[in-house]
């Protein structure tokens, strides 16, 4: 695996920018989950998935009496999950995003770490075509928190020196990893004892990313069997919508689980 090998295309970037930041960049016709779809020719995908998972994470942390100081988002794409965490957890003193796509990392830096004007933004149009638009607005940079944000362009396994986190999120990565069980082992190594892990997965496995079909799971809880001292805190299903072009919609349902790593400090 090489960073930026699979997700560097402008078409892929447009999908992730819409999915993560459409409310700021383009405006979007938001509606409650489960009510159906916006008009695909007029509207964009509202970023309900990162917002919903962030709200669940906040609730699970509160139930533990957990006030994270060090946070890491693994596979953070263009940074919306990190943005939501910075907005919800007031005591964070360090925010780290680990992401293998250099293109995504550059956009995350623009959103999270600067107030610089955005360049024109690629937006999904018809198949094989993009529109390039001036953004309607930009997300407010986490100016006070920007000094505490670190964006690491690497796969998790390559990101040495980052660990002892109070909170780790890893959303919709397990079904894009060659060995999901090994991913959980790596995530546990990045948590301090008592730390909180929130994972999500729609189980959209493919042989090009996970060649061994015996590694394809149907429940994230399977990955934690025999993987050390974990406490299960809860789980919920959350819709994950995206478009490859304005007449092609995909709706997945991600299982979101929360686990506390007891580790040697259990």
């Amino acid at each position: 695996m090489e960073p930026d090998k699979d997700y560097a295309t402008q078409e892929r970037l447009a999908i992730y920018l819409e999915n993560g930041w459409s409310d700021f960049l383009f405006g979007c016709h938001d509606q409650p989950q489960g009510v159906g779809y916006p008009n695909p020719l007029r509207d964009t995908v509202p970023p309900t998935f990162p917002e919903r998972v962030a709200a669940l994470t906040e609730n699970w942390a509160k139930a533990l009496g957990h006030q994270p100081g060090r946070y890491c988002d693994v596979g953070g794409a263009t940074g919306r999950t990190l943005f939501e965490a910075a907005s919800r957890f007031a005591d964070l003193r360090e925010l780290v995003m680990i992401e293998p796509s250099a293109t995504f990392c550059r956009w995350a830096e623009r959103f999270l770490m600067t107030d610089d004007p955005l360049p024109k933004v690629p937006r999904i149009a018809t198949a094989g075509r993009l529109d390039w638009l001036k953004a309607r607005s930009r997300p407010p940079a986490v100016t006070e928190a920007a000094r505490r944000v670190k964006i690491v362009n690497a796969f998790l396994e390559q990101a040495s020196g980052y660990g002892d986190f109070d909170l780790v999120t890893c959303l919709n990565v397990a079904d894009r990893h060659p060995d999901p069980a090994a991913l959980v082992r790596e995530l546990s190594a990045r948590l301090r004892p008592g730390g909180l892990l929130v994972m999500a997965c729609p189980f959209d496995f493919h042989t090009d990313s996970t060649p061994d079909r015996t590694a394809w799971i149907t429940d994230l809880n399977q990955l934690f069997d025999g993987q050390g001292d974990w406490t299960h805190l809860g789980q919920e299903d959350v819709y994950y919508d995206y478009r490859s072009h304005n007449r092609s919609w995909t709706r997945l349902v991600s299982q979101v689980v929360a686990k506390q790593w007891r580790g040697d400090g259990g």
Side-chain angles (χ1 to χ4, degrees), residues 132-205:
W132 291 82
L133 305 176
K134 181 179 179 180
R136 184 190 63 137
S137 65
R138 57 158 297 136
V142 190
T143 51
E144 189 276 328
R147 298 186 306 275
R148 298 176 276 134
V149 172
K150 175 69 173 177
I151 296 176
V152 182
N153 178 209
F155 288 101
L156 177 62
E157 294 81 358
Q158 300 166 338
S160 59
Y162 295 95
D164 200 34
F165 292 106
D166 305 299
L167 171 64
V168 172
T169 53
C170 185
L171 309 182
N172 299 343
V173 173
D175 56 352
R176 295 295 178 265
H177 195 280
D179 187 344
L183 173 64
V184 168
R185 287 193 295 272
E186 190 68 34
L187 291 168
S188 67
R190 307 307 175 108
L191 282 163
R192 68 164 179 81
L196 173 62
L197 171 65
V198 175
M199 287 190 75
C201 184
F203 310 108
D204 185 30
F205 285 97

Side-chain angles (χ1 to χ4, degrees), residues 79-94:
R80 183 60 184 251
T81 303
L82 205 75
F83 175 84
E84 292 295 328
S87 303
R88 291 171 183 271
F89 294 104
D91 295 330
L92 289 176
R93 61 183 182 274
E94 182 179 7

